[in-house]
Amino acid sequence: MNQVYRVLKIKIPWRLVEERPDVLDLVTRMHLAVEEYAKTLLKEITGQGEPKLTTEEIDRLLTPDRRELAVKIIDVAFPKYGLGRYFVKQAKMFWRETAFWRAVPLDAQLRIENERDAGRAVFVGLKSGVLRVRKTGIPPFAVELKKGNVAWIRERLQEGARLKLAFLGIERLKGKKEPTYGKLYIALVFARKVQQVEPKAVVAVDVNRLDHGVMMGLLVDGKLRQTLRLLDEDAVRELRRLHEEISRLDEQAAREADPARRRRLEERARHLKSRRFRKIRGVVKDIVGEIIKLAREHQAAIVVDTMEDETYRELKEGNWSGEKKHLLDGLGQLRRRLQTLARWYGLPYLEERLYSTVCPRCGAKMEELNNRRMQCPVCGFNDNRDNVPLIWAKKRYWELLQKQPAFSATTTLLTS
């Protein structure tokens, strides 16, 4: 049995932040203390100033023998920012999680019916629809849960999950030169035990640009039983429209001499970029939902032919049109979401090269014709480019079915 996690991120309304500046002050102090602790700890371990490490590398570095060093750093860093005994105790108890996620885990309770209040820092009342934060050194504050939040929590409970802990944090946004920070949030972390499925089938997935759609094929007993192209044409049209409008606003802002008008144009562009991000996230959630649903129905391993990181960077930095480039956005989050949801449901997840340009019949390099058709110059094989990876999956079916990926030791948190 493996422990797996999912997260519900609940934004703290700006009206509350405006009325309660002490909330923003607390979150800022927590952020600064945790950043100093994590950077100092990793610097002491690696001997480097600000090492750029992957999550897997950080996970390997934070071994139990580092705990004593971590405790010493917490004792120095946290009081410097006015964080009291509760935060120091929580950070020491969850020293690895604090360094890994750059946030202090808070103890949390979920009241489903009329359970006794256990006095934990984060209290979630499912019936009342209110989340309360207390014991943090400032007066308590409350956030109202949306109906969607309550429904999400009930779904996780039905799956056997329990509220494990919570984070209080601030969104980190990628800036052109350095990161900026956005809205405050409370993250509720749910955990459950899951046994990995013994696969009886394979769901092969070919990840493409959003306007080409994601191809999915169900293979049972070495035969391709079902194929489906996951493509939301309305969403693609909306993404194209948003991209054109954002490009127009960016160009206008670059030419605008008046500072006030330029700021208005830049603000409008930022608003549309946020809208585009939400649209892409919605498309990704729908696609992943269909893949997971099919895999669960057939107890299947999920085998993904993903675009390699280097290829993705080359395409994003290439000379072809920005309209096409922006349709690559979301492939990274699709891959992460699919992997983590597969883990949540105990479905084996593999990333394998399922070629679209190599002939599955003779292995020769194929040529691309019109309308995304591929043809082999050696044996004459001819098919749509998006079908070729599924044929490769069929060819390698028994090999793929026998591969059993081990669950990663890294704690992966999936937001909603």
Side-chain angles (χ1 to χ4, degrees), residues 158-412:
Q158 288 173 1
E159 293 171 345
R162 292 291 178 267
L163 179 61
K164 186 175 179 66
L165 49 87
F167 293 115
L168 185 60
I170 184 168
E171 287 183 340
R172 184 183 173 103
L173 309 174
K174 290 182 180 179
K176 290 185 178 179
K177 294 184 179 179
E178 58 185 27
T180 56
Y181 297 92
K183 296 180 180 179
L184 308 186
Y185 66 86
I186 305 158
L188 303 179
V189 182
F190 286 78
R192 73 170 184 145
K193 295 282 188 181
V194 63
Q195 180 70 46
Q196 185 164 295
V197 167
E198 287 290 336
K200 296 181 173 64
V202 168
V203 171
V205 181
D206 180 36
V207 177
N208 295 306
R209 219 171 61 200
L210 293 180
D211 57 331
H212 291 154
V214 171
M215 283 296 294
M216 174 174 67
L218 172 67
L219 297 109
V220 182
D221 295 330
K223 297 178 181 179
L224 188 58
R225 298 295 178 89
Q226 181 181 344
T227 61
L228 181 64
R229 183 188 299 276
L230 302 172
L231 172 63
D232 186 336
E233 294 181 349
D234 290 338
V236 170
R237 280 194 290 271
E238 175 68 5
L239 287 170
R240 284 201 174 104
R241 189 193 67 76
L242 288 170
H243 173 74
E244 290 169 1
E245 181 67 9
I246 290 165
S247 299
R248 185 183 64 79
L249 290 169
D250 284 343
E251 290 172 4
Q252 285 184 338
R255 294 194 303 265
E256 182 58 64
D258 182 81
R261 283 200 290 267
R262 185 170 62 249
R263 281 195 299 272
R264 286 196 294 271
L265 290 167
E266 289 171 344
E267 179 59 34
R268 175 61 179 163
R270 279 194 294 271
H271 171 74
L272 291 180
K273 286 174 184 177
S274 175
R275 185 173 166 184
R276 183 178 69 179
F277 174 81
R278 293 194 299 272
K279 191 70 176 179
I280 290 172
R281 184 175 60 186
V283 171
V284 166
K285 289 178 74 171
D286 290 344
I287 290 172
V288 171
E290 289 295 324
I291 296 169
I292 292 293
K293 179 182 176 183
L294 185 66
R296 291 183 70 194
E297 286 174 355
H298 296 273
Q299 292 187 288
I302 298 172
V303 181
V304 182
D305 176 37
T306 58
M307 192 179 295
E308 294 177 350
D309 292 341
E310 187 174 341
T311 304
Y312 179 79
R313 282 194 298 271
E314 288 175 357
L315 290 172
K316 288 290 283 184
E317 295 168 5
N319 294 324
W320 44 309
S321 74
E323 178 189 340
K324 291 181 179 178
K325 282 183 184 180
H326 91 272
L327 290 167
L328 291 167
D329 294 342
L331 299 189
Q333 58 175 298
L334 188 150
R335 175 182 174 182
R336 291 188 297 273
R337 184 176 187 84
L338 183 55
Q339 182 177 21
T340 310
L341 266 183
R343 184 178 289 120
W344 177 260
Y345 291 111
L347 300 167
Y349 175 93
L350 295 167
E351 291 184 357
E352 295 283 330
R353 288 302 290 125
L354 301 173
Y355 305 102
S356 57
T357 59
V358 178
C359 178
R361 186 182 295 166
C362 71
K365 180 74 172 178
M366 294 194 290
E367 300 170 347
E368 186 161 5
L369 309 176
N370 295 330
N371 300 321
R372 291 179 60 81
R373 290 199 72 84
M374 305 300 295
Q375 181 167 298
C376 178
V378 177
C379 70
F381 172 86
N382 184 302
D383 207 334
N384 187 285
R385 181 182 181 125
D386 298 328
N387 292 333
V388 178
L390 304 184
I391 298 171
W392 271 105
K394 178 182 175 182
K395 186 174 182 177
R396 297 178 55 196
Y397 176 80
W398 297 108
E399 172 202 344
L400 296 172
L401 195 66
Q402 290 168 9
K403 283 193 174 184
Q404 292 295 311
F407 270 57
S408 169
T410 304
T411 301
T412 304

